[in-house]
Structures are given as structure tokens and as C-alpha cells.
Amino acid sequence: MSILTVGTVAFDSIETPFGNAPRVLGGSASYLSLAAQYFCPDVRLVGIVGGDFPEEYVQLFRDSNVDLRGLEVKEEGDTFHWKGRYHYDLNERDTLDTQLNVLVDFEPTLPEDYRSSKIVCLGNLDPAVQRHVLEQVDDPEYVLCDTMNYWIEHTPDSLRETLTLVDCLVVNDSEARELADEPNLVRAASIIRDMGPETVIIKKGEHGALLFNGSTVFSAPAYPLEDIEDPTGAGDTFAGGLAGYLVRARAYGSQELRRGIIYGSAMASFAVERFGPGRLLELNEDLILERARAFRELAAIPKLQAFETA
Ligand code: AMP
């Protein structure tokens, strides 16, 4: 089984209350693929970078066994560059600058082998490009999609079109509210589901995630970390872990999605421990399983008795 990830491969320049990191490796496809590869040996990346993209970053994907045949290098262009600043409340961030650069006229053609991919992760990217990629996949079993306020505001109609093709949308709470034009998250999820995705996952940063699927809601906690250095990429890492687990499970029902959310949350909790994707590069199955099990403990609610006998 294979996972196709498409999204940005970026330079991120990040400011947090704990420090700055200029031009570190970032981008939705980077975090997605680096997380998913722990679960699946066949992770394929689709993206574009400029001639300024350093060999050392390329090597980092290679060392992680990510298939880069779908990474276009446009020598005469510059790599996508995002600048963001986090507040003391790390759930709050301002985008200071987005330079699309080589992304402006990115129209990927998938390598022939990629067309057979089974799970497709449409990472945060122009929704028209997300569609263009999806149309080239022969028979995807499950399509996950992420987006962000930038695309909700700049290309709303195109995003709506993409959503009609998606099985599971993964967004954060403010994006869900903006997309649905509804402040209440339960109602927002229902409005978004009417746009196409059967399943909606709403991430709430350090407050966990909500899964809306079938007629049920599942609430996953977030791991209470003492040291968070940089939340960038947490959302994409979450989606990568979720997709990775789903490939392993080879099923997309409510139980698999619930477990997948826990694995996604575990991966995201590692990603935020360090600036850039560095922490994601040094994990192994035991560490991931140990963290995922800690989530079970976190949410273990004892049996509830009637008040009289408590
Ligand atoms: P996350 O923190 O998971 O929401 O994603 C952060 C990543 O998204 C960063 O590594 C950025 O490079 C990337 N990013 C920022 N803005 C955009 C955008 N408009 N489209 C696609 N990716 C973006």
C-alpha cells in the first residue's frame, strides 16, 4: 500500500516566544511525508522547489526513505517561503509573509508509478493543484485533505470544488469556523460535511482534536508537553500520522479513524518539540507506540456509578 502526499516544500522563517528559526525546512508535504513514512514504506511526495533548495534538505527526505520522483526542481525559481510569528498562546499565530514563488504556476504531472497510490493526502496547497493531482490518481481508496485560511479566503470556490472529492477534511478550529461561516464547531462540522467530506476532523491545537464521522463525535486529547518549541507543521504531521495508520489498518471506519487520530496526535506532539522537522527525523516505532499509549492513559475515564453509590 502506498501514500501519495502533495503539498508545499518550503523554507519557513519562524518566530516564537522562545526563539527564531530562519529558513528551516518546512511545508505541508514535508511534514506529511516525514510523519507518514514511519508507518508506510512507500510514501510518495509531489511538490516543487526552486534552485535555492539545499541538497542537505533533499538528502534528509532520502534518508527517511521518502520517494522524491514527484519533487520538481525549478532551477530558475525560488522555493516557497512562509514567515510566521507565534504568540505566547501558541495556538495563536500570525502569517507575516507568504511568498508563493515557484508555486505560482505549479502544475504537477505525476510519475507513472504514482498513479496507483491508494491513500492520497492533499496537503495544504492551492485547491486547484490538489484537484489536478487527484485527477491523475487511478483509483484512490481514501482521500484526506488539509487546507488553511489563506485558501479559504483567496480561492473559496475552488476549495469547495476540491471538497466534493474528499473523504476526510482535516482543519483547525478557526479554519473550520471560517470555512463554514459558523462559530459553533459542531454546527460547522455538519455544514462542512454537507460540502462533501463524509468525515471532518477539527484540530484544536493544545486542546486536542474532534472527529465527526457517521453519527458520532470522538474527542482526542492533546499530549500535555512541558516544552513546546515550535508548533509549525503540527497539523500536517497529524495528517501524516493519521494517513500512515490508515494504510496499516487498510480500513477507514470509525474505529480505525479513532486510532489514526491518536497516532496523528502522537506524531504531532513530537513535531512541536523542536524548530522545524528535526524531532520527526529521530523517532522509531517503540517511541511512537509509547507516546500513543500515553494518550490512552490521558483519556482513561473510570467507570461511572450512579451518584448514590459513588
Ligand atoms: P501547520 O502548522 O501544520 O498548519 O502547517 C505549517 C506549514 O504550512 C509550514 O511549514 C508552511 O510552510 C506551510 N504553509 C504556510 N502557508 C501555506 C499556504 N498558504 N499554503 C500551503 N502551505 C503553507
Side-chain angles (χ1 to χ4, degrees), residues 8 10-12 26-28 31 80 82 86 93 98 124-125 148 150-151 231-236:
T8 46
F11 289 129
D12 284 347
S28 49
Y31 283 103
F80 172 80
W82 176 76
Y86 291 85
R93 84 170 165 209
T98 301
N124 195 356
L125 190 67
M148 78 189 296
Y150 186 91
W151 305 110
T232 308
D236 307 306

Side-chain angles (χ1 to χ4, degrees), residues 1-237:
M1 283 282 273
S2 49
I3 302 182
L4 184 145
T5 62
V6 56
T8 46
V9 178
F11 289 129
D12 284 347
S13 293
I14 303 157
E15 298 173 25
T16 80
F18 319 111
N20 295 345
R23 289 173 80 83
V24 289
L25 173 62
S28 49
S30 307
Y31 283 103
L32 270 170
S33 57
L34 292 172
Q37 59 85 20
Y38 281 105
F39 300 83
C40 171
D42 190 358
V43 175
R44 305 155 176 189
L45 185 145
V46 177
I48 186 167
V49 293
D52 56 352
F53 196 69
E55 177 56 30
E56 115 197 47
Y57 287 173
V58 174
Q59 192 55 42
L60 190 148
F61 286 108
R62 290 215 181 93
D63 292 344
S64 296
N65 232 348
V66 173
D67 186 338
L68 288 183
R69 283 173 299 160
L71 180 68
E72 186 181 332
V73 182
K74 198 171 177 186
E75 287 298 342
E76 68 282 13
D78 288 330
T79 300
F80 172 80
H81 191 169
W82 176 76
K83 293 183 185 168
R85 179 187 294 143
Y86 291 85
H87 300 208
Y88 264 99
D89 174 353
L90 290 171
N91 285 325
E92 299 262 327
R93 84 170 165 209
D94 300 323
T95 289
L96 304 177
D97 193 18
T98 301
Q99 289 166 22
L100 296 177
N101 297 335
V102 287
L103 269 188
V104 170
D105 41 23
F106 179 43
E107 252 190 65
T109 302
L110 298 195
E112 197 53 41
D113 290 357
Y114 279 33
R115 293 172 187 264
S116 62
S117 304
K118 287 300 165 208
I119 291 200
V120 180
C121 283
L122 302 174
N124 195 356
L125 190 67
D126 183 335
V129 180
Q130 290 179 322
R131 262 191 329 274
H132 180 70
V133 168
L134 189 54
E135 279 158 6
Q136 297 174 62
V137 181
D138 292 335
D139 188 19
E141 276 183 18
Y142 203 74
V143 180
L144 289 144
C145 178
D146 191 357
T147 190
M148 78 189 296
N149 44 8
Y150 186 91
W151 305 110
I152 297 170
E153 287 154 24
H154 287 75
T155 57
D157 295 338
S158 177
L159 177 59
R160 288 288 198 104
E161 217 179 312
T162 295
L163 288 181
T164 62
L165 308 170
V166 163
D167 294 301
C168 176
L169 179 71
V170 185
V171 276
N172 71 30
D173 44 3
S174 65
E175 291 155 358
R177 291 189 174 102
E178 195 172 348
L179 177 60
D181 195 19
E182 162 61 55
N184 178 287
L185 288 181
V186 181
R187 279 202 219 109
S190 158
I191 293 168
I192 295 169
R193 291 176 77 189
D194 285 343
M195 297 176 188
E198 151 65 16
T199 299
V200 172
I201 296 172
I202 299 183
K203 300 164 290 176
K204 299 183 296 162
E206 60 183 347
H207 306 298
L210 292 171
L211 163 72
F212 298 87
N213 164 261
S215 56
T216 61
V217 184
F218 172 69
S219 172
Y223 192 73
L225 283 171
E226 251 179 56
D227 294 308
I228 299 182
E229 212 168 51
D230 168 23
T232 308
D236 307 306
T237 305

